[in-house]
Amino acid sequence: MAKLTKEQLIESLKEMTLLEVNDWIKAIEETFGVSAAAPVAAAAPVAAAAPTEVNVILESAGAQKIAVIKLYRELTSLGLIEAKNAVEKGNVAIKEGIKPEEANELKKKFEEIGAKVVIK
């Protein structure tokens, strides 16, 4: 049997109907033990990217409310009454859209004086 060139094979495929091509593909799959299906790339688990901006939220002031109010005022530039009301209310943003490193430092400062802080 004479060996067909790639061009000759393509020309013969052009002359076939879709059903004939399908039968031909099935015959090749059975003969050579291969599959003509498009390979599906295994999805590698994508590591969650670390956030570039986070929010620091004061959940509660704890026992040393006055120290927390002072620190909160220093960071937010609010007046005494506004800062007091915010700290007493709880679940208030201390800083928003900051780098995680800065957020961890702020959290540490607040936790040192007894406040409960979360980073979101």
Side-chain angles (χ1 to χ4, degrees):
M1 177 180 237
K3 184 176 177 181
L4 295 175
T5 65
K6 181 172 54 172
E7 290 79 22
Q8 290 171 328
L9 186 58
I10 290 172
E11 286 303 314
S12 64
L13 285 173
K14 287 180 182 178
E15 295 174 8
M16 293 182 187
T17 66
L18 287 177
L19 290 175
E20 291 172 329
V21 171
N22 188 41
D23 290 340
W24 188 73
I25 290 172
K26 285 181 184 177
I28 291 174
E29 288 176 338
E30 290 172 9
T31 303
F32 297 105
V34 295
S35 174
V40 177
V46 177
T52 57
E53 292 185 348
V54 296
N55 301 329
V56 182
I57 310 295
L58 174 67
E59 287 193 334
S60 66
Q64 297 183 31
K65 190 181 345 178
I66 294 172
V68 173
I69 292 170
K70 286 181 180 180
L71 183 56
Y72 186 77
R73 276 189 70 201
E74 181 182 315
L75 294 169
T76 61
S77 302
L78 290 177
L80 179 60
I81 300 299
E82 293 88 0
K84 178 183 175 288
N85 290 339
V87 168
E88 287 177 346
K89 178 182 167 189
N91 289 325
V92 63
I94 299 170
K95 289 266 185 165
E96 296 179 324
I98 61 173
K99 294 181 181 181
E101 298 82 24
E102 183 182 351
N104 288 328
E105 290 174 21
L106 287 177
K107 181 178 180 182
K108 184 178 176 184
K109 285 181 183 180
F110 276 93
E111 288 179 342
E112 285 174 354
I113 56 176
K116 185 175 179 187
V117 176
V118 294
I119 298 174
K120 295 182 180 181

